[in-house]
Amino acid sequence: MTILDKIIADKYKEVSLKKSIVSMSHLERSALFGRETSSLSAALKASDTGIISEFKRRSPSKSVINQTASVQDVASGYENAGVCGMSVLTDGKYFGGSLDDVLLARASAQLPILRKEFIVDEYQIIEAKSYGADVILLIAAVLTRDEIKALSETAKSLGLDVLLEVHNLEELQKSIMPSLDMLGVNNRNLKTFEVSTDISKELATHIPDDFVKVSESGISSVAAIKDLQPYGYQGFLIGENFMKTKNPGHSALEFINELKG
């Protein structure tokens, strides 16, 4: 079993248990469920930097990244830095995150928030909306085309943006459909955890222009972004590069200033 297989197996169990504790109708009564969402894809289209910053405490590949930063401080710091959106990891077992992190980020900043999660069930999309997220992530590697269609259409019906993540051409070709807003290419090989932006370059020409192109993982320099922009990428998801510093918001500000310069 790969690490991804283990995460997904655990996720099905977790969602099943959650459903037995908190019903979908209960989630739909959340004060935030009726909130008008902010579009990340629109923010990326309007931006000349396209930075999506991340809040991540740890990961299976890097273990501890930052266990001391508060999500409220990081969210307000990122917003002050001028990022387009903020990705918040909500998986507990492997990434040390929770839905409460989305809630606290929402209370601290107005920017679009992506719930970064291994989504396998409509229930998680209802959760995302009820905790104040604006965007959901779908991972093509763990979903069939029919599942991608059903989940993305559910998200769109709730006013949420959809970022679909792919790792290769096969995943991309099975996934292209009108209910997606952004197509993200993950530069990290989920089997080996090796990182290379070459995959973003290879897949760029296969992504139709209707979608905002996002490059994810392994982007740690302004040079890497400038290298990818000619390929049509408008979004750049940066996680560990900011989170491994003492003040992620300040690191993001310095990075964006350098990128603009």
Side-chain angles (χ1 to χ4, degrees):
M1 271 179 110
T2 66
I3 186 71
L4 186 60
D5 294 331
K6 289 177 186 166
I7 291 171
I8 295 303
D10 283 339
K11 198 55 61 179
Y12 275 108
K13 291 177 196 164
E14 179 190 314
V15 172
S16 175
L17 182 61
K18 280 185 162 187
K19 281 179 166 178
S20 70
I21 299 165
V22 181
S23 68
M24 276 208 228
S25 59
H26 182 81
L27 291 170
E28 288 167 349
R29 291 196 292 276
S30 148
L32 289 172
F33 194 79
R35 172 185 157 269
E36 193 169 329
T37 51
S38 303
S39 170
L40 177 59
S41 55
L44 292 173
K45 285 177 190 171
S47 171
D48 54 0
T49 56
I51 303 298
I52 307 163
S53 53
E54 192 155 80
F55 184 81
K56 176 161 62 171
R57 292 185 180 87
R58 56 185 168 89
S59 74
S61 60
K62 285 283 195 313
S63 62
V64 172
I65 298 164
N66 190 330
Q67 292 282 47
T68 58
S70 91
V71 68
Q72 297 99 317
D73 291 346
V74 172
S76 56
Y78 281 158
E79 185 165 55
N80 291 338
V83 304
C84 292
M86 178 177 176
S87 163
V88 179
L89 269 292
T90 62
D91 174 79
K93 181 173 178 180
Y94 297 91
F95 291 88
S98 79
L99 270 164
D100 283 345
D101 290 336
V102 171
L103 199 61
L104 293 171
R106 174 83 289 141
S108 310
Q110 297 303 308
L111 44 72
I113 293 175
L114 162 70
R115 180 190 186 186
K116 197 172 190 192
E117 179 57 91
F118 299 86
I119 289 182
V120 294
D121 193 291
E122 175 191 9
Y123 182 86
Q124 293 160 289
I125 299 173
I126 304 292
E127 270 185 333
K129 174 79 168 160
S130 71
Y131 275 76
D134 303 281
V135 194
I136 59 144
L137 174 74
L138 297 177
I139 301 172
V142 301
L143 299 167
T144 65
R145 180 177 173 84
D146 286 346
E147 286 170 333
I148 293 166
K149 185 172 188 292
L151 293 168
S152 59
E153 287 177 354
T154 296
K156 294 312 296 173
S157 73
L158 297 173
L160 296 167
D161 266 13
V162 180
L163 169 61
L164 189 282
E165 176 180 297
V166 300
H167 299 84
N168 55 45
L169 185 57
E170 184 187 1
E171 289 175 8
L172 176 62
Q173 288 174 333
K174 81 168 182 185
S175 305
I176 292 172
M177 57 186 74
S179 45
L180 309 175
D181 301 286
M182 296 160 282
L183 276 161
V185 179
N186 192 333
N187 300 308
R188 177 174 280 117
N189 182 314
L190 287 185
K191 294 189 172 72
T192 64
F193 278 98
E194 287 171 6
V195 176
S196 168
T197 55
D198 289 347
I199 187 67
S200 280
K201 295 174 185 176
E202 286 166 26
L203 295 185
T205 54
H206 298 279
I207 301 174
D209 291 336
D210 326 26
F211 306 101
V212 176
K213 294 179 195 173
V214 178
S215 186
E216 307 171 21
S217 292
I219 299 167
S220 57
S221 68
V222 165
I225 289 178
K226 291 191 169 168
D227 186 39
L228 287 166
Q229 282 172 331
Y231 292 85
Y233 284 92
Q234 291 174 288
F236 306 93
L237 182 66
I238 300 180
E240 287 162 19
N241 197 51
F242 300 146
M243 282 304 296
K244 68 186 180 187
T245 67
K246 194 176 254 185
N247 186 332
H250 184 67
S251 302
L253 178 63
E254 288 184 332
F255 190 95
I256 288 171
N257 285 341
E258 187 188 340
L259 185 55
K260 284 178 173 174

